[in-house]
Amino acid sequence: MELTAADYQLIRLKKQLDGLPQRQKLLDLRAKQAEVQRKAEQVNSLYHECEQAIKQLQDEEASLKAKSAEAQAQIDTAANYKEVTNLTLELESLARRREKVEFEALKLMERLDKAAEVQAQVQQALEKLSRQDEELVSSFQSEGAAIQKETFITEKLREQLTAALPAELLKRYEQARQAKGGAGAAHLEGSHCSGCRVAFTDGQLAKLTQGPEIGECPHCHRLLVVSGEVVR
Ligand SMILES: [Zn+2]
């Protein structure tokens, strides 16, 4: 019954620890952090794409510039009118393309600036969330410390108690405990089981009181201490 009391105590302590408000807040905060982190990755890749596209346009711009200079040089040394006309048309076409490339690059630079702004905002948000996380963890740890200390003491007590039990009895206890997901033993309290609170019939009661000192509750199947001094 002392072991049962220790197991109930461990369940209560775990509930207390899980029930600390910081725990839920921390879970919510971690979800929020993951969300902002995803946003950060998205904006980083957008920034990178813009940078790449700008680089390509700049390369194209350089190549158009070189081609224009070449066409211009050819005009200067052109032999006839037809050649000049063709080269002039080429120059005009190159100039139109350059204008378009410059316009596109400008648009992309605006996007890049916006992405950089969002990057900075996201970074700030992440830093703020990280500070909140640290505060919550520290508050959770200090409030949880008392509960954890008691848990540690109860676990030590549990070790001593299990070490003192005969192996066969401990095995029966652990089986019942695992089946019930809580404590493995109860005692006869008046005419009912202290574990499941179900009242026994006269027949069940007679069978229990005439049976071994440690029987089994026919309802919840916990070990049932029928007689002897009950420690609660
Ligand atoms: Zn029972």
Side-chain angles (χ1 to χ4, degrees), residues 193 196 217 220:
C193 163
C196 64
C217 170
C220 67

Side-chain angles (χ1 to χ4, degrees), residues 199-210:
F200 300 123
T201 62
D202 288 345
Q204 285 170 329
L205 208 53
K207 209 173 155 190
L208 282 166
T209 48
Q210 283 156 27

Side-chain angles (χ1 to χ4, degrees), residues 172 208 211-217 221-226:
R172 281 175 65 197
L208 282 166
E213 192 183 21
I214 298 174
E216 184 184 305
C217 170
H221 301 289
R222 286 186 177 92
L223 300 188
L224 193 73
V225 179
V226 179

Side-chain angles (χ1 to χ4, degrees), residues 36-37 39-41 43 117-127:
V36 178
Q37 190 57 49
K39 174 89 184 152
E41 278 155 24
V43 76
E117 247 174 67
V118 178
Q119 263 182 332
Q121 284 166 359
V122 166
Q123 197 51 42
Q124 270 187 349
L126 277 177
E127 279 162 19

Side-chain angles (χ1 to χ4, degrees), residues 10-203:
L10 285 172
I11 291 167
R12 270 194 297 272
L13 290 167
K14 185 174 185 321
K15 265 190 194 160
Q16 267 182 37
L17 195 65
D18 290 349
L20 284 179
Q22 291 93 332
R23 192 184 141 81
Q24 190 53 49
K25 282 186 193 161
L26 206 51
L27 287 175
D28 294 344
L29 192 68
R30 295 273 158 95
K32 177 89 184 151
Q33 278 174 310
E35 195 187 310
V36 178
Q37 190 57 49
R38 277 195 297 277
K39 174 89 184 152
E41 278 155 24
Q42 278 172 6
V43 76
N44 286 347
S45 83
L46 178 70
Y47 187 90
H48 189 66
E49 279 166 25
C50 279
E51 253 186 347
Q52 289 286 101
I54 289 170
K55 172 90 178 66
Q56 272 181 10
L57 288 173
Q58 282 168 342
D59 289 348
E60 192 182 348
E61 161 78 10
S63 137
L64 289 168
K65 201 177 163 187
K67 278 182 191 160
S68 297
E70 200 183 318
Q72 188 60 59
Q74 280 173 335
I75 286 176
D76 294 344
T77 59
N80 57 56
Y81 176 73
K82 194 170 179 243
E83 207 179 325
V84 170
T85 309
N86 284 341
L87 285 164
T88 306
L89 285 174
E90 195 192 328
L91 258 182
E92 279 168 9
S93 155
L94 285 168
R96 280 196 299 276
R97 181 63 197 154
R98 275 179 80 176
E99 208 178 317
K100 210 174 164 193
V101 164
E102 274 166 23
F103 180 70
E104 275 173 27
L106 215 62
K107 271 204 308 193
L108 277 171
M109 280 172 192
E110 276 171 21
R111 282 184 74 188
L112 193 72
D113 282 349
K114 272 189 191 140
E117 247 174 67
V118 178
Q119 263 182 332
Q121 284 166 359
V122 166
Q123 197 51 42
Q124 270 187 349
L126 277 177
E127 279 162 19
K128 192 178 167 193
L129 286 170
S130 163
R131 281 195 299 276
Q132 285 176 344
D133 191 289
E134 276 171 31
E135 281 163 20
L136 265 177
V137 165
S138 131
S139 146
F140 181 58
Q141 279 170 345
S142 59
E143 272 193 47
I147 299 172
Q148 274 161 344
K149 191 179 168 195
E150 213 182 326
T151 302
F152 180 76
I153 293 168
T154 311
E155 275 167 355
K156 286 282 150 207
L157 173 68
R158 190 182 196 282
E159 272 172 34
Q160 288 166 10
L161 293 170
T162 52
L165 280 184
E168 188 55 33
L169 187 57
L170 180 61
K171 195 177 158 198
R172 281 175 65 197
Y173 177 85
E174 290 296 2
Q175 277 169 353
R177 183 173 73 90
Q178 274 154 29
K180 296 309 294 177
H187 64 270
L188 184 61
E189 201 172 58
S191 62
H192 67 257
C193 163
S194 72
C196 64
R197 308 267 162 203
V198 177
F200 300 123
T201 62
D202 288 345

